């Protein structure tokens, strides 16, 4: 591993340090207590961004358009397995926390028993981070863009998550809300011999950890269940020994790059839901 770049230390992280440590120590692939039997008689609403809509997994619902909702996404798989009273799949590729709050919450009600979501990565500009890091010939511009996202995560994102979670709690006060984290994209010091440099991969993974830590804090304040995706994805990251990683590297269609594959959805994310394994 290369020596840590001093630019990775520019953004103060004291506010997130405790949450990062807690996440690393207690991260688990199970949710807070809630069994499917208690959810069958109620509705399930799946919110969020592309990691919840299933971009990268294929088998898209033509009617979902640019939202790219997939029949192989973890919400669709859970609903098929557990037959909730109703299922509303409103997650949409590219959605920010504001997009979720303003455009996806319509199905929530007092009859909603389960809510799942991933949100925050688009607010922090992770798509632009990956675009920059993939095409930049040098490390410095990539790391500078990563640090901009890290600053946003520390200073701005908590309020945005709080507003979204407030509205979910107001509209669905009886729901078991499961906030899913984002897996690290890379196995550091792994088997990749081409592509992004190890410095870039290290910076990106660290930013993912800080995004998850900010989400842990926001979820805890609202008594929502947070589940860490890293335990289930471990060993299946880009550059891992797995010949078929559960996350796309740079691929075609390009929009599917750096998203979970169908295996990532069914074997990485689905087990994080109540009895989803």
């Amino acid at each position: 591993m290369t020596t840590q770049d001093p630019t990775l230390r520019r953004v103060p992280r004291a506010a997130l340090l405790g949450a990062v440590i807690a996440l690393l120590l207690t991260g688990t692939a199970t949710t807070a207590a809630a069994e499917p039997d208690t959810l069958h008689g109620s509705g399930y609403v799946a919110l969020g961004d592309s990691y919840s809509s299933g971009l990268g997994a294929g088998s898209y619902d033509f009617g979902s358009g640019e939202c790219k909702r997939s029949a192989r996404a973890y919400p669709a798989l859970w609903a098929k397995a557990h037959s909730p009273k109703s299922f509303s799949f409103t997650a949409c590729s590219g959605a920010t926390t504001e997009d979720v709050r303003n455009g996806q919450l319509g199905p929530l009600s007092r009859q909603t028993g389960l809510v799942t979501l991933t949100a925050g990565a688009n607010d922090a500009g992770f798509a632009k981070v990956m675009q920059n890091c993939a095409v930049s010939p040098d490390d410095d511009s990539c790391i500078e863009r990563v640090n901009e996202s890290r600053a946003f995560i520390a200073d701005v994102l908590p309020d945005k998550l709080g507003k979204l979670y407030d509205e979910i709690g107001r509209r669905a006060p009886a729901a078991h809300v499961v906030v899913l984290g984002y897996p690290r994209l890379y196995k550091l010091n792994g088997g990749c011999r081409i592509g992004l440099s190890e410095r870039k991969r290290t910076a990106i993974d660290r930013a993912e950890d800080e995004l998850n830590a900010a989400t842990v804090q926001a979820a805890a304040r609202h008594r929502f269940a947070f589940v860490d995706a890293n335990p289930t994805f471990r060993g299946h990251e880009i550059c891992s020994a797995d010949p078929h990683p559960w996350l796309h590297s740079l691929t075609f269609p390009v929009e599917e790059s750096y998203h979970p594959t169908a295996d990532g959805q069914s074997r990485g994310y689905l087990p994080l839901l109540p009895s989803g394994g």
Side-chain angles (χ1 to χ4, degrees):
M1 176 181 282
T2 57
T3 303
Q4 183 179 350
D5 188 334
T7 58
L8 294 180
R9 298 193 294 268
R10 287 181 192 165
V11 181
R13 290 176 287 163
L16 293 178
L17 182 59
V20 171
I21 293 172
L23 176 61
L24 294 176
L25 291 176
T26 64
T28 176
T30 59
T31 68
E35 293 301 320
D37 286 347
T38 68
L39 303 173
H40 285 163
S42 59
Y44 169 31
V45 180
L47 312 170
D49 55 25
S50 55
Y51 271 54
S52 291
S53 74
L55 178 63
S59 296
Y60 304 119
D61 174 8
F62 179 78
S64 70
E66 294 302 312
C67 286
K68 298 289 186 179
R69 297 187 192 105
S70 171
R72 297 174 178 173
Y74 73 83
L77 296 175
W78 193 94
K80 182 178 180 180
H82 297 291
S83 301
K85 185 176 181 179
S86 63
F87 174 46
S88 297
F89 192 6
T90 61
C92 187
S93 178
T96 63
T97 54
E98 186 173 353
D99 292 330
V100 176
R101 183 160 55 91
N102 293 333
Q104 297 185 20
L105 306 187
L108 295 178
S109 72
R110 292 183 177 275
Q111 284 69 53
T112 303
L114 175 65
V115 175
T116 62
L117 74 156
T118 53
N122 288 317
D123 297 74
F126 267 79
K128 291 182 179 179
V129 165
M130 297 311 301
Q131 180 182 15
N132 179 294
C133 292
V135 303
S136 173
D138 65 276
D139 291 351
D140 290 342
S141 62
C142 166
I143 292 172
E144 181 178 356
R145 187 65 187 84
V146 170
N147 282 336
E148 291 175 4
S149 289
R150 292 173 62 215
F152 183 95
I153 290 166
D155 300 333
V156 181
L157 186 60
D159 182 63
K160 289 183 173 291
L161 290 173
K163 288 179 179 178
L164 171 58
Y165 296 172
D166 283 343
E167 191 63 16
I168 292 172
R170 186 183 71 80
R171 293 190 183 216
H176 177 62
V177 181
V178 180
V179 180
L180 297 96
Y182 297 93
R184 298 183 190 101
L185 292 177
Y186 295 100
K187 169 67 176 177
L188 299 181
N189 297 310
C192 291
R193 296 294 176 261
I194 59 174
L196 275 62
S197 70
E198 195 70 7
R199 283 179 61 202
K200 289 180 178 180
R201 294 171 189 150
T202 300
I204 291 165
D205 276 5
R206 182 169 294 130
E208 293 273 7
D209 285 344
E210 293 182 6
L211 172 59
N212 284 329
T215 307
V216 166
Q217 291 182 322
R221 284 193 292 270
H222 290 77
R223 297 186 178 182
F224 291 171
F226 174 87
V227 283
D228 182 10
N230 285 305
T232 50
F233 276 87
R234 187 170 294 125
H236 306 284
E237 310 96 329
I238 302 169
C239 300
S240 68
D242 189 338
H244 303 288
W246 295 355
L247 294 151
H248 291 289
S249 185
L250 188 61
T251 190
F252 183 83
V254 175
E255 64 180 358
E256 295 187 350
S257 301
Y258 312 114
H259 284 83
T261 64
D263 279 342
Q265 289 287 335
S266 65
R267 301 170 69 183
Y269 268 124
L270 182 60
L272 303 181
L273 273 61
S275 295

